[in-house]
Amino acid sequence: MTVKILVGWLPRAVLLLIGLLLVNVGLSLGLDPAKAVGVHAEGAGVTHLRVAFGGFHVGVGLLGIAAAAFRSMTRTGLIALATILGSVVSFRLYGIHVDGASASNLTTLGREAPPLVLTLVALAANAFGARLGTISPRPGTR
């Protein structure tokens, strides 16, 4: 596989993969939010958990899927995902620093960090592809 082909499809494939993963996680956590936090909640508390754990993940996942569907949105989608996932990982690391490195925190960090790294690799591939001229550097230019 040539470099041009790789940098052409990798960014959009990553957007699609992470988008589908986040939608799946969001639907799972939105249907059973107590599983996300391991506590019992009722009424409005459950609704808040559904929104925070289900709605957020589904919304970000749909953003990734939409960005994968339209080449002109690839770079913007990758930047948005990197920003959101980077914020999540940053707050997880802050929580580990302040609250301690519990097994639960470390396990969750192990699930949150790989999508961020993959998104950053895809963003670098997208930038490299723009330099090679295989993809448009900015939306609407090619």
Side-chain angles (χ1 to χ4, degrees):
M1 181 177 295
T2 69
V3 172
K4 287 186 177 186
I5 293 172
L6 179 65
V7 299
W9 66 262
L10 178 68
R12 293 174 72 195
V14 166
L15 284 167
L16 181 62
L17 175 70
I18 292 176
L20 291 171
L21 174 74
L22 288 171
V23 167
N24 183 46
V25 168
L27 290 174
S28 173
L29 297 179
L31 294 174
D32 188 9
K35 178 171 65 174
V37 291
V39 297
H40 177 74
E42 295 179 355
V46 174
T47 300
H48 290 304
L49 290 174
R50 287 185 204 287
V51 170
F53 291 102
F56 174 77
H57 286 82
V58 170
V60 174
L62 292 174
L63 175 97
I65 293 168
F70 300 98
R71 185 177 299 276
S72 64
M73 290 180 56
T74 301
R75 181 173 180 268
T76 303
L78 288 168
I79 290 170
L81 274 184
T83 302
I84 293 165
L85 296 173
S87 297
V88 168
V89 169
S90 295
F91 273 90
R92 177 70 57 195
L93 290 170
Y94 173 74
I96 288 170
H97 173 71
V98 172
D99 305 323
S102 69
S104 174
N105 273 336
L106 295 175
T107 299
T108 305
L109 177 63
R111 292 182 187 137
E112 293 167 344
L116 172 61
V117 171
L118 194 55
T119 300
L120 293 173
V121 168
L123 191 57
N126 186 261
F128 185 66
R131 290 189 70 179
L132 287 177
T134 59
I135 58 174
S136 174
R138 292 182 307 279
T141 59
R142 197 188 311 166

